[in-house]
Coordinates of all heavy atoms in Angstrom, one line a residue:
M63 N 13.2 -44.3 6.1 CA 12.3 -44.8 7.3 C 11.5 -45.9 6.8 O 10.5 -45.7 6.0 CB 11.5 -43.7 7.8 CG 12.1 -43.3 9.1 SD 11.2 -42.7 10.4 CE 10.1 -41.6 10.2
H64 N 11.8 -47.1 7.3 CA 11.0 -48.2 6.9 C 10.3 -48.8 8.1 O 11.0 -49.4 8.9 CB 11.8 -49.3 6.2 CG 12.3 -48.8 4.9 ND1 11.5 -48.7 3.7 CD2 13.5 -48.3 4.5 CE1 12.2 -48.2 2.7 NE2 13.4 -48.0 3.2
E65 N 9.1 -48.6 8.2 CA 8.4 -49.2 9.4 C 7.8 -50.5 8.9 O 7.0 -50.5 8.0 CB 7.3 -48.2 9.9 CG 7.9 -47.2 10.8 CD 6.8 -46.4 11.5 OE1 5.8 -47.1 11.9 OE2 6.9 -45.2 11.7
Q66 N 8.1 -51.5 9.6 CA 7.5 -52.8 9.3 C 6.5 -53.2 10.4 O 7.0 -53.4 11.5 CB 8.6 -53.9 9.2 CG 9.3 -53.7 7.8 CD 10.2 -55.0 7.6 OE1 10.5 -55.7 8.5 NE2 10.6 -55.2 6.3
S67 N 5.4 -53.3 10.1 CA 4.4 -53.8 11.1 C 4.2 -55.3 10.9 O 3.5 -55.7 10.0 CB 3.1 -53.0 11.0 OG 2.6 -53.1 9.6
A68 N 4.9 -56.0 11.7 CA 4.8 -57.5 11.5 C 3.4 -58.0 12.0 O 3.0 -59.1 11.5 CB 5.9 -58.1 12.3
E69 N 2.8 -57.2 12.8 CA 1.5 -57.7 13.3 C 0.4 -57.5 12.3 O 0.2 -56.4 12.0 CB 1.2 -57.1 14.7 CG 2.1 -57.5 15.8 CD 1.8 -56.7 17.1 OE1 0.6 -56.7 17.4 OE2 2.7 -56.2 17.7
P70 N -0.2 -58.5 12.0 CA -1.4 -58.4 11.1 C -2.5 -57.7 11.9 O -2.6 -57.9 13.1 CB -1.8 -59.8 10.7 CG -1.2 -60.7 11.8 CD 0.0 -60.0 12.3
P71 N -3.4 -57.1 11.2 CA -4.5 -56.5 11.9 C -5.4 -57.6 12.6 O -5.6 -58.6 11.9 CB -5.3 -55.8 10.8 CG -4.9 -56.4 9.5 CD -3.5 -56.9 9.8
Q72 N -5.7 -57.3 13.8 CA -6.4 -58.3 14.5 C -7.9 -58.2 14.1 O -8.5 -57.1 14.1 CB -6.3 -58.0 16.1 CG -4.9 -58.2 16.6 CD -4.6 -59.6 16.7 OE1 -5.4 -60.4 17.0 NE2 -3.3 -60.0 16.5
P73 N -8.5 -59.3 13.8 CA -9.9 -59.3 13.5 C -10.7 -59.2 14.8 O -10.2 -59.6 15.9 CB -10.2 -60.7 12.9 CG -9.0 -61.6 13.4 CD -7.9 -60.6 13.6
L74 N -11.8 -58.6 14.7 CA -12.6 -58.4 15.9 C -12.9 -59.8 16.5 O -13.4 -60.7 15.7 CB -13.9 -57.7 15.6 CG -13.7 -56.2 15.3 CD1 -15.0 -55.6 14.9 CD2 -13.2 -55.5 16.6
S75 N -12.6 -60.0 17.7 CA -12.9 -61.3 18.4 C -14.4 -61.4 18.4 O -15.2 -60.5 18.3 CB -12.3 -61.4 19.7 OG -12.7 -60.3 20.5
D76 N -14.8 -62.6 18.7 CA -16.2 -63.0 18.8 C -16.9 -62.0 19.8 O -16.4 -61.9 20.9 CB -16.4 -64.4 19.2 CG -16.1 -65.3 18.1 OD1 -16.1 -64.9 16.9 OD2 -15.9 -66.5 18.3
Q77 N -17.9 -61.4 19.4 CA -18.6 -60.5 20.3 C -19.8 -61.4 20.9 O -20.6 -61.9 20.1 CB -19.1 -59.3 19.6 CG -18.0 -58.4 19.2 CD -18.5 -57.1 18.6 OE1 -19.6 -57.1 18.1 NE2 -17.7 -56.1 18.6
H78 N -19.8 -61.4 22.2 CA -20.9 -62.2 22.7 C -21.5 -61.5 23.9 O -21.3 -61.8 25.1 CB -20.5 -63.6 23.1 CG -19.2 -63.7 23.9 ND1 -19.2 -63.4 25.2 CD2 -18.0 -63.9 23.4 CE1 -17.9 -63.5 25.6 NE2 -17.2 -63.8 24.5
P79 N -22.3 -60.4 23.6 CA -23.1 -59.8 24.6 C -24.0 -60.7 25.3 O -24.6 -61.6 24.7 CB -23.9 -58.7 23.9 CG -23.8 -59.0 22.5 CD -22.6 -59.9 22.3
S80 N -24.0 -60.7 26.6 CA -24.7 -61.7 27.4 C -26.2 -61.8 26.9 O -26.7 -62.8 27.0 CB -24.6 -61.4 28.9 OG -25.2 -60.1 29.1
S81 N -26.7 -60.7 26.5 CA -28.2 -60.7 26.2 C -28.4 -61.6 25.0 O -29.4 -62.3 24.9 CB -28.6 -59.3 25.9 OG -27.9 -58.7 24.9
S82 N -27.5 -61.7 24.1 CA -27.7 -62.5 22.9 C -27.6 -64.0 23.2 O -28.0 -64.8 22.4 CB -26.8 -62.1 21.8 OG -25.5 -62.6 22.1
R83 N -27.0 -64.3 24.3 CA -26.9 -65.7 24.7 C -28.2 -66.3 25.3 O -28.3 -67.5 25.5 CB -25.7 -65.9 25.7 CG -24.4 -65.9 25.0 CD -23.3 -65.7 26.0 NE -23.4 -66.5 27.2 CZ -22.7 -66.3 28.3 NH1 -21.9 -65.3 28.4 NH2 -22.9 -67.1 29.3
H84 N -29.1 -65.3 25.6 CA -30.3 -65.8 26.2 C -31.4 -65.4 25.3 O -31.8 -64.2 25.1 CB -30.4 -65.1 27.6 CG -29.4 -65.6 28.6 ND1 -29.5 -66.7 29.3 CD2 -28.2 -65.0 28.9 CE1 -28.4 -66.8 30.0 NE2 -27.7 -65.8 29.8
H85 N -32.0 -66.4 24.7 CA -33.2 -66.2 23.9 C -34.3 -66.9 24.5 O -34.5 -68.1 24.4 CB -32.9 -66.7 22.4 CG -34.0 -66.4 21.5 ND1 -34.2 -65.1 21.0 CD2 -35.0 -67.1 21.0 CE1 -35.3 -65.1 20.2 NE2 -35.8 -66.4 20.2
A86 N -35.1 -66.1 25.3 CA -36.1 -66.8 26.0 C -37.5 -66.7 25.3 O -37.8 -65.7 24.6 CB -36.3 -66.0 27.4
T87 N -38.2 -67.8 25.4 CA -39.5 -67.8 24.8 C -40.4 -68.5 25.8 O -40.0 -69.0 26.8 CB -39.5 -68.7 23.5 OG1 -39.0 -70.0 23.8 CG2 -38.7 -68.1 22.4
T88 N -41.7 -68.4 25.5 CA -42.7 -69.1 26.4 C -43.2 -70.3 25.6 O -43.4 -70.2 24.4 CB -43.9 -68.1 26.8 OG1 -44.4 -67.6 25.6 CG2 -43.3 -67.0 27.7
A89 N -43.5 -71.3 26.3 CA -44.0 -72.5 25.8 C -45.2 -73.0 26.7 O -45.3 -72.5 27.8 CB -43.0 -73.6 25.6
E90 N -46.0 -73.9 26.1 CA -47.0 -74.4 26.9 C -46.9 -75.9 27.0 O -46.5 -76.6 26.1 CB -48.4 -74.0 26.3 CG -48.7 -72.6 26.4 CD -49.9 -72.2 25.6 OE1 -50.8 -72.9 25.4 OE2 -49.8 -71.1 25.0
N91 N -47.3 -76.3 28.2 CA -47.3 -77.7 28.5 C -48.7 -78.1 29.1 O -48.8 -77.9 30.3 CB -46.1 -78.1 29.4 CG -46.1 -79.6 29.7 OD1 -46.7 -80.4 29.0 ND2 -45.2 -79.9 30.6
G92 N -49.5 -78.6 28.3 CA -50.8 -78.8 28.8 C -51.5 -77.5 29.3 O -51.5 -76.6 28.5
P93 N -52.1 -77.5 30.4 CA -52.8 -76.3 30.9 C -51.8 -75.3 31.4 O -52.1 -74.1 31.7 CB -53.6 -76.8 32.1 CG -52.9 -78.0 32.6 CD -52.1 -78.6 31.4
F94 N -50.5 -75.6 31.5 CA -49.5 -74.7 32.0 C -48.7 -74.0 31.0 O -48.5 -74.6 29.8 CB -48.6 -75.4 33.0 CG -49.3 -76.0 34.2 CD1 -49.6 -77.3 34.3 CD2 -49.8 -75.1 35.2 CE1 -50.2 -77.8 35.4 CE2 -50.4 -75.6 36.3 CZ -50.6 -77.0 36.3
A95 N -48.2 -72.9 31.3 CA -47.2 -72.2 30.4 C -45.9 -71.9 31.2 O -45.9 -71.8 32.4 CB -47.8 -70.8 29.9
F96 N -44.9 -72.0 30.5 CA -43.6 -71.7 31.2 C -42.7 -71.0 30.2 O -42.8 -71.1 29.0 CB -43.0 -73.0 31.7 CG -42.7 -74.0 30.7 CD1 -41.5 -74.0 30.0 CD2 -43.7 -75.0 30.4 CE1 -41.3 -75.0 29.0 CE2 -43.5 -75.9 29.4 CZ -42.2 -75.9 28.7
A97 N -41.7 -70.3 30.8 CA -40.7 -69.6 30.0 C -39.5 -70.5 29.9 O -39.1 -71.2 30.8 CB -40.3 -68.3 30.6
S98 N -38.9 -70.5 28.7 CA -37.7 -71.4 28.6 C -36.7 -70.5 27.8 O -37.0 -69.6 27.0 CB -37.9 -72.7 27.9 OG -38.3 -72.5 26.5
C99 N -35.4 -70.8 28.0 CA -34.3 -69.9 27.4 C -33.4 -70.8 26.7 O -33.2 -72.1 26.9 CB -33.6 -69.2 28.5 SG -32.4 -68.1 27.9
S100 N -32.7 -70.2 25.7 CA -31.8 -71.0 24.9 C -30.6 -71.5 25.6 O -29.8 -72.4 25.3 CB -31.3 -70.1 23.7 OG -30.7 -68.9 24.2
C101 N -30.4 -70.9 26.8 CA -29.3 -71.3 27.7 C -29.6 -72.6 28.4 O -28.7 -73.2 29.1 CB -28.9 -70.1 28.7 SG -30.0 -70.0 30.0
G102 N -30.8 -73.0 28.4 CA -31.2 -74.2 29.1 C -32.1 -73.9 30.3 O -32.7 -74.9 30.9
W103 N -32.2 -72.7 30.7 CA -33.0 -72.3 31.8 C -34.5 -72.5 31.4 O -35.0 -72.3 30.3 CB -32.8 -70.9 32.2 CG -33.8 -70.4 33.2 CD1 -33.7 -70.5 34.6 CD2 -35.0 -69.6 32.9 NE1 -34.7 -69.8 35.1 CE2 -35.5 -69.3 34.2 CE3 -35.6 -69.2 31.7 CZ2 -36.7 -68.6 34.3 CZ3 -36.7 -68.5 31.9 CH2 -37.3 -68.2 33.1
R104 N -35.3 -73.0 32.4 CA -36.7 -73.1 32.2 C -37.4 -72.6 33.5 O -37.0 -72.9 34.6 CB -37.1 -74.5 32.1 CG -38.2 -74.8 31.1 CD -38.6 -76.2 31.0 NE -39.7 -76.5 32.0 CZ -40.4 -77.6 32.0 NH1 -40.1 -78.5 31.0 NH2 -41.3 -77.8 32.9
G105 N -38.4 -71.7 33.2 CA -39.1 -71.1 34.3 C -40.1 -72.1 34.9 O -40.3 -73.1 34.3
P106 N -40.7 -71.7 36.0 CA -41.7 -72.6 36.7 C -43.0 -72.6 35.8 O -43.2 -71.6 35.1 CB -41.9 -72.0 38.0 CG -41.4 -70.5 37.9 CD -40.4 -70.5 36.8
A107 N -43.7 -73.6 36.0 CA -44.9 -73.7 35.2 C -46.0 -72.7 35.8 O -46.1 -72.6 37.0 CB -45.5 -75.1 35.3
R108 N -46.6 -72.0 34.9 CA -47.6 -71.0 35.3 C -48.9 -71.4 34.8 O -49.0 -72.0 33.7 CB -47.1 -69.6 34.9 CG -45.7 -69.2 35.3 CD -45.7 -68.9 36.8 NE -44.4 -68.2 37.1 CZ -44.1 -67.9 38.4 NH1 -44.9 -68.3 39.4 NH2 -43.0 -67.3 38.7
R109 N -49.9 -70.8 35.4 CA -51.2 -71.1 34.8 C -51.6 -70.2 33.7 O -52.6 -70.4 33.0 CB -52.3 -71.1 36.0 CG -52.1 -72.3 36.9 CD -53.0 -72.2 38.1 NE -54.4 -72.2 37.7 CZ -55.4 -72.0 38.5 NH1 -55.2 -71.7 39.8 NH2 -56.6 -72.0 38.1
S110 N -50.8 -69.1 33.5 CA -51.1 -68.3 32.4 C -49.8 -67.9 31.7 O -48.8 -67.8 32.3 CB -51.8 -67.0 32.9 OG -50.9 -66.0 33.4
R111 N -49.9 -67.7 30.4 CA -48.7 -67.5 29.7 C -48.2 -66.1 30.0 O -47.0 -65.9 29.9 CB -49.1 -67.5 28.2 CG -47.8 -67.5 27.3 CD -48.2 -67.2 25.9 NE -48.8 -68.4 25.2 CZ -49.0 -68.5 23.9 NH1 -48.6 -67.5 23.1 NH2 -49.5 -69.5 23.4
D112 N -49.1 -65.2 30.4 CA -48.6 -63.9 30.8 C -47.7 -64.0 32.0 O -46.7 -63.3 32.0 CB -49.9 -63.0 31.2 CG -49.8 -61.6 30.6 OD1 -49.3 -61.5 29.5 OD2 -50.1 -60.7 31.4
R113 N -48.0 -64.8 32.9 CA -47.2 -65.0 34.1 C -45.8 -65.6 33.7 O -44.8 -65.2 34.1 CB -47.9 -65.9 35.1 CG -48.9 -65.3 35.9 CD -48.1 -64.7 37.2 NE -49.1 -64.0 38.0 CZ -49.2 -64.4 39.4 NH1 -48.5 -65.4 39.9 NH2 -50.0 -63.7 40.1
A114 N -45.9 -66.6 32.8 CA -44.6 -67.2 32.4 C -43.7 -66.2 31.7 O -42.5 -66.2 31.9 CB -45.0 -68.3 31.4
R115 N -44.4 -65.3 31.0 CA -43.6 -64.3 30.3 C -42.9 -63.3 31.3 O -41.8 -62.8 31.0 CB -44.5 -63.5 29.3 CG -43.7 -62.8 28.3 CD -44.7 -62.1 27.3 NE -45.4 -63.1 26.5 CZ -46.7 -62.9 26.0 NH1 -47.3 -61.8 26.3 NH2 -47.3 -63.8 25.3
R116 N -43.5 -63.2 32.4 CA -42.9 -62.3 33.4 C -41.7 -62.9 34.0 O -40.9 -62.2 34.7 CB -43.9 -61.9 34.4 CG -44.9 -60.8 33.9 CD -46.1 -60.6 34.7 NE -45.8 -60.2 36.1 CZ -46.7 -60.0 37.0 NH1 -47.9 -60.2 36.7 NH2 -46.3 -59.6 38.2
D117 N -41.5 -64.2 33.9 CA -40.3 -64.8 34.5 C -39.1 -64.5 33.6 O -38.0 -64.6 34.1 CB -40.5 -66.3 34.5 CG -41.5 -66.7 35.6 OD1 -41.6 -66.0 36.6 OD2 -42.2 -67.7 35.4
V118 N -39.3 -64.1 32.4 CA -38.2 -64.0 31.4 C -37.2 -62.8 31.9 O -36.1 -63.1 32.0 CB -38.7 -63.7 30.0 CG1 -37.6 -63.3 29.1 CG2 -39.4 -65.0 29.5
P119 N -37.8 -61.6 32.1 CA -36.9 -60.5 32.5 C -36.2 -60.8 33.8 O -35.0 -60.4 34.0 CB -37.8 -59.3 32.6 CG -39.2 -59.8 32.6 CD -39.1 -61.1 31.9
E120 N -36.8 -61.5 34.7 CA -36.2 -61.9 35.9 C -35.0 -62.8 35.6 O -33.9 -62.7 36.2 CB -37.1 -62.6 36.8 CG -38.1 -61.6 37.5 CD -39.0 -62.3 38.5 OE1 -38.5 -63.3 39.1 OE2 -40.1 -61.9 38.7
H121 N -35.2 -63.7 34.7 CA -34.0 -64.7 34.4 C -32.9 -63.9 33.8 O -31.8 -64.1 34.1 CB -34.6 -65.7 33.5 CG -33.5 -66.5 32.7 ND1 -32.5 -67.2 33.4 CD2 -33.2 -66.5 31.4 CE1 -31.7 -67.7 32.5 NE2 -32.0 -67.3 31.3
L122 N -33.3 -63.0 32.8 CA -32.3 -62.2 32.1 C -31.5 -61.4 33.1 O -30.3 -61.2 33.0 CB -32.9 -61.4 31.1 CG -33.6 -62.1 29.9 CD1 -34.2 -61.1 28.9 CD2 -32.6 -63.1 29.3
A123 N -32.2 -60.8 34.0 CA -31.5 -60.0 35.0 C -30.5 -60.8 35.9 O -29.4 -60.4 36.1 CB -32.5 -59.3 35.9
S124 N -31.0 -61.9 36.4 CA -30.1 -62.8 37.2 C -29.0 -63.3 36.4 O -27.9 -63.5 36.8 CB -30.9 -63.9 37.9 OG -31.3 -64.8 36.9
A125 N -29.2 -63.6 35.1 CA -28.2 -64.2 34.2 C -27.2 -63.1 33.9 O -26.0 -63.4 34.0 CB -28.8 -64.6 32.9
A126 N -27.6 -61.9 33.8 CA -26.6 -60.8 33.5 C -25.8 -60.6 34.8 O -24.6 -60.3 34.7 CB -27.4 -59.5 33.1
A127 N -26.4 -60.7 35.9 CA -25.7 -60.5 37.1 C -24.7 -61.6 37.3 O -23.5 -61.4 37.8 CB -26.6 -60.5 38.4
D128 N -25.0 -62.8 36.9 CA -24.1 -63.9 37.0 C -22.9 -63.7 36.0 O -21.8 -64.0 36.4 CB -24.9 -65.2 36.5 CG -25.3 -66.1 37.7 OD1 -25.3 -65.5 38.8 OD2 -25.5 -67.3 37.5
D129 N -23.2 -63.2 34.9 CA -22.1 -63.0 33.9 C -21.1 -62.0 34.4 O -19.9 -62.1 34.1 CB -22.7 -62.5 32.6 CG -23.3 -63.7 31.8 OD1 -23.2 -64.8 32.3 OD2 -23.9 -63.5 30.7
S130 N -21.6 -60.9 35.1 CA -20.7 -59.9 35.4 C -19.7 -60.3 36.6 O -18.7 -59.7 36.7 CB -21.5 -58.6 35.9 OG -22.2 -58.9 37.0
S131 N -20.1 -61.3 37.3 CA -19.2 -61.8 38.3 C -18.3 -62.8 37.8 O -18.8 -63.7 37.1 CB -20.0 -62.2 39.6 OG -20.8 -63.3 39.2
P132 N -17.1 -62.8 38.2 CA -16.1 -63.8 37.6 C -16.3 -65.2 38.1 O -16.9 -65.4 39.2 CB -14.7 -63.3 38.1 CG -15.0 -62.4 39.2 CD -16.4 -61.9 39.0
Ligands
ZN80 ZN1 -30.9 -67.8 29.6

């Protein structure tokens, strides 16, 4: 019995969980703060950094919803 497995083991393909594609941070522009993401998204200017930070989870949620739909 000679089994020949011609197929080489497949390497794990690139794993790209949607969350890792979005690296959001907050930045300040003068008196305003805003959230920005590595995907290019930028939140609206807020008067407090705390507010800007709250835009991040909203962006991640909508981005995740976007990714799940074809
Ligand atoms: Zn993003």
Side-chain angles (χ1 to χ4, degrees):
M63 255 211 317
H64 293 284
E65 278 191 38
Q66 283 190 344
S67 53
E69 290 177 49
Q72 296 283 327
L74 287 176
S75 56
D76 287 341
Q77 293 182 338
H78 45 84
S80 57
S81 57
S82 74
R83 279 165 44 195
H84 296 277
H85 185 75
T87 55
T88 55
E90 284 168 43
N91 182 12
F94 297 106
F96 57 90
S98 67
C99 184
S100 57
C101 73
W103 170 86
R104 214 184 91 168
R108 306 290 195 184
R109 286 175 65 187
S110 84
R111 192 192 285 193
D112 221 41
R113 276 273 180 125
R115 198 175 292 148
R116 282 166 62 180
D117 289 329
V118 171
E120 284 184 31
H121 163 62
L122 295 182
S124 69
D128 256 19
D129 281 356
S130 63
S131 63

